[in-house]
Amino acid sequence: MTNEALAVFREAYPHAFLGRYKKDGGDELNKEDIFYYVYGVLHSPEYRKRFSSNLKKELPRIPLAENFAAFSRAGRALAELHLNYESVEPWGSVEEEGDPASPGRTVKMRFGKCKKTEDNPKGVDRTMLHVSEALTLHGIPEEAYGYVVNGRSAVEWLMDRYQVRTDKASGIVNDPNEYSDDPRYIVDLVERVVTVSMQTLEIVAQLPPLREMPQPENWPSAWKAV
């Protein structure tokens, strides 16, 4: 974060954190506030929808939302959640079928099966996930799949990454069962990612409208759209 950017944001939001305790950063915006503001804006459904075409072909341009503090606080909460995904509490409503102490190896996770319908022609039950040889999870909220990372839900991203694979060229085996000595590592990680997904969606749902503000007088010419 440059000093130039800091000056621009301070000009645009002179009272964003008026009355904030010094231990929490004080009245004046700082670079950390701006970083989390950007992270919050990038999660805004309104922002993603409005600028979807631009985001496919160029770097994100960050608007000056009316409520800086709300986006900055949301971005901070999201960053803390996403950085500490391995230590959050597992999602409470998920139930385990099998041996919780010795779940066995994970070769490739797969969803459960259900009756095929017009809306679900493959008969896939995403509330059920066979994680390992001896353990299946039930009660995964369907809503959890609404948190998407790089084109797929976080849960499905985890399913893809945490499977045993052999590189054809080198013959090297990538085995996620060796990532930790804890036999429950992958099971707990799935349940924690459900928590991250659900809490992310909750935070995002509370984001306010952008309601863009005009650019301040010290807006750099290099930032203007070509």
Side-chain angles (χ1 to χ4, degrees):
M1 190 68 64
T2 65
N3 291 329
E4 183 180 43
L6 179 61
V8 170
F9 275 84
R10 283 180 172 175
E11 178 73 17
Y13 302 104
H15 307 300
F17 289 110
L18 192 63
R20 183 172 63 176
Y21 291 116
K22 189 174 181 179
K23 67 180 178 64
D24 297 323
D27 290 342
E28 200 168 39
L29 290 185
N30 56 53
K31 293 181 179 181
E32 194 173 271
D33 295 325
I34 299 170
F35 175 86
Y36 290 124
Y37 167 82
V38 172
Y39 199 63
V41 167
L42 291 177
H43 280 81
S44 164
E46 178 189 350
Y47 173 82
R48 292 185 174 190
K49 182 178 180 179
R50 279 181 55 191
F51 302 106
S52 59
S53 297
N54 303 74
L55 294 170
K56 292 176 182 177
K57 56 189 177 183
E58 63 185 20
L59 292 174
R61 296 178 183 272
I62 304 301
L64 297 175
E66 182 180 69
N67 195 337
F68 177 94
F71 280 98
S72 184
R73 291 186 179 116
R76 188 182 293 271
L78 288 166
E80 182 176 346
L81 187 62
H82 298 163
L83 287 171
N84 299 311
Y85 68 94
E86 288 187 302
S87 58
V88 300
E89 287 295 317
W91 191 247
S93 66
V94 174
E95 298 180 356
E96 299 179 358
E97 176 189 349
D99 187 347
S102 301
R105 285 172 48 78
T106 294
V107 178
K108 183 177 182 179
M109 289 183 258
R110 66 186 191 281
F111 290 122
K113 297 290 185 180
C114 63
K115 184 178 179 179
K116 296 180 180 180
T117 64
E118 185 176 341
D119 294 331
N120 186 3
K122 293 184 178 180
V124 173
D125 182 0
R126 298 196 300 180
T127 68
M128 181 192 306
L129 183 60
H130 302 290
V131 177
S132 56
E133 296 168 328
L135 197 138
T136 297
L137 299 180
H138 296 270
I140 298 174
E142 185 66 35
E143 296 87 346
Y145 299 97
Y147 174 44
V148 176
V149 180
N150 292 330
R152 65 174 61 185
S153 72
V155 175
E156 290 169 305
W157 180 91
L158 188 68
M159 292 172 64
D160 179 65
R161 296 290 178 174
Y162 280 70
Q163 61 175 291
V164 178
R165 277 197 176 99
T166 302
D167 182 75
K168 292 182 180 179
S170 64
I172 296 175
V173 177
N174 179 30
D175 188 345
N177 299 281
E178 297 176 355
Y179 293 175
S180 172
D181 293 331
D182 182 358
R184 283 189 54 88
Y185 170 69
I186 297 177
V187 174
D188 288 338
L189 186 58
V190 172
E191 295 180 18
R192 288 184 169 114
V193 168
V194 173
T195 296
V196 169
S197 299
M198 295 297 287
Q199 291 186 1
T200 293
L201 294 172
E202 182 179 351
I203 294 170
V204 168
Q206 295 174 2
L207 288 172
L210 291 175
R211 295 198 183 101
E212 292 179 63
M213 301 193 336
Q215 298 169 355
E217 293 183 1
N218 65 342
W219 191 267
S221 59
W223 292 9
K224 295 185 183 297
V226 178

